Amino acid sequence: MASLICGSIAYDTIMNFEGKFADQILPEQIHILNVAFLVPTMRREFGGCAGNIAYNLSLLGGDPIIMATVGGDATPYLNHLEQLKIDASHIRQIDNAFTAQAMITTDQTNNQITAFHPGAMSESHLNQVAAVVAERDTNTKDPVKFGIVAPDGRQGMWEHCHQLADANIPFIFDPGQGLPMFDGPELLELVDIASYLAVNDYEGEMLSQRTGLSLAKVAERVKALIVTKGAEGTDVYVGGKVIAIPPVPASKVVDPTGCGDAFRGGLLFGLENGMDWETTGRLASLMGSIKITHQGPQNHQLSKDEIAAQFKAAFNFSF
């Protein structure tokens, strides 16, 4: 079963600040904020929501298809995806633009400050869901049975949600850091055509403020609303109730970058395979926990069997 991953492909430049942001920012001087952080370590990683989600779904044995836009500097990333045998045939390269770039600084308490240049991502609306569906049918590949719309260019997110709905492909709307680009009525329109909605707790609060609806009311408009809460686990709003999914304690906390995307890779795999929410949520939680023990969004290299063994050790049953 193939899943269409609509979202960003980006290079992540990740830096570590050895102090705490809270100790460097004076609240009473926030109106004239001027701070600099010494970052002794810096590295460049393959990232972006679509790339990260596809990577994690692939680890589980899924069949992700990435639909994204990249710049003229994307050859190393495209080679990386080819080595992973992830379908990158629907990634559009725009030579006169940069691939999206995220500059991420993490402090010692895992708070993050990110600067993001969208680059070619702003042209994501040039890609069409119908073209992917037709290509898979023409080449007798597994058809697209599921989708996710993750943070991307605003117009691309809007159009891809509608295109998936028009194609009768169930999908997760995952607005993430793109949520502020939409007002309340626009968010509700996208929620109403989505099958599932995934946000973290901060985004959930913003969603409630913009729409004027409680999370419970928003959940009534989709098959399920998934709200991640970091180390506190996850709440799944489904069928008029809330299922609390426990966190999986990490053996060590190295880098939170990409943990939400790892969670969504597990979420997609569970939904694709008809797992119940207790199992799906736990698998997604485990994927986030595995990711946080590694630097960068795509450097954890476990096999499906190794993931399955960790799942059984954590929950005492198999997925």
Side-chain angles (χ1 to χ4, degrees), residues 10-21:
Y11 289 117
D12 290 343
T13 300
I14 302 173
M15 298 158 282
N16 293 101
F17 172 53
E18 294 179 345
K20 299 178 181 179
F21 295 142

Side-chain angles (χ1 to χ4, degrees), residues 38-302:
L38 177 65
V39 288
T41 61
M42 184 178 78
R43 65 190 189 279
R44 197 184 199 201
E45 303 281 2
F46 299 117
C49 294
N52 297 341
I53 294 169
Y55 179 83
N56 285 278
L57 182 56
S58 179
L59 287 181
L60 287 164
D63 180 17
I65 310 161
I66 300 176
M67 189 171 79
T69 43
V70 297
D73 56 344
T75 299
Y77 205 138
L78 296 174
N79 291 340
H80 167 69
L81 294 173
E82 182 179 3
Q83 291 174 356
L84 294 171
K85 298 182 179 179
I86 292 175
D87 188 342
S89 60
H90 295 280
I91 296 178
R92 180 187 298 264
Q93 192 162 18
I94 300 173
D95 291 334
N96 62 351
F98 287 110
T99 300
Q101 313 270 332
M103 280 65 75
I104 304 165
T105 303
T106 304
D107 74 2
Q108 65 180 197
T109 56
N110 288 315
N111 293 309
Q112 292 185 319
I113 295 175
T114 301
F116 187 77
H117 170 67
M121 191 185 81
S122 299
E123 303 300 318
S124 62
H125 58 277
L126 297 176
N127 292 324
Q128 302 289 314
V129 170
V132 182
V133 173
E135 187 271 338
R136 300 291 288 196
D137 290 343
T138 300
N139 292 306
T140 63
K141 299 178 181 178
D142 287 343
V144 177
K145 292 294 187 180
F146 215 92
I148 184 169
V149 176
D152 207 348
R154 184 190 188 281
Q155 187 178 348
M157 292 178 70
W158 180 267
E159 293 187 8
H160 297 154
C161 282
H162 284 85
Q163 290 168 13
L164 284 164
D166 290 344
N168 293 315
I169 297 171
F171 71 96
I172 301 168
F173 178 40
D174 171 28
Q177 61 264 36
L179 192 151
M181 297 188 295
F182 302 98
D183 62 25
E186 289 171 332
L187 286 167
L188 287 178
E189 180 172 336
L190 296 178
V191 167
D192 285 343
I193 61 175
S195 305
Y196 306 94
L197 174 64
V199 294
N200 64 29
D201 47 359
Y202 180 84
E203 294 155 1
E205 179 61 30
M206 182 180 293
L207 180 70
S208 289
Q209 290 183 4
R210 295 214 166 186
T211 62
L213 298 177
S214 67
L215 289 179
K217 286 295 183 183
V218 173
E220 293 175 359
R221 307 171 85 111
V222 287
K223 291 181 179 179
L225 164 63
I226 302 95
V227 182
T228 60
K229 303 186 295 182
E232 296 180 12
T234 300
D235 288 337
V236 179
Y237 293 71
V238 59
K241 62 181 180 179
V242 180
I243 300 173
I245 303 297
V248 179
S251 58
K252 57 182 177 178
V253 176
V254 175
D255 180 8
T257 308
C259 285
D261 297 328
F263 181 98
R264 282 149 179 78
L267 184 65
L268 270 172
F269 186 80
L271 289 169
E272 286 178 356
N273 289 278
M275 298 177 185
D276 59 37
W277 281 108
E278 286 79 2
T279 304
T280 296
R282 283 166 170 78
L283 177 59
S285 182
L286 174 64
M287 295 303 292
S289 179
I290 289 171
K291 206 293 339 147
I292 206 170
T293 64
H294 296 74
Q295 289 188 331
Q298 299 180 31
N299 292 323
H300 47 300
Q301 299 177 1
L302 286 76

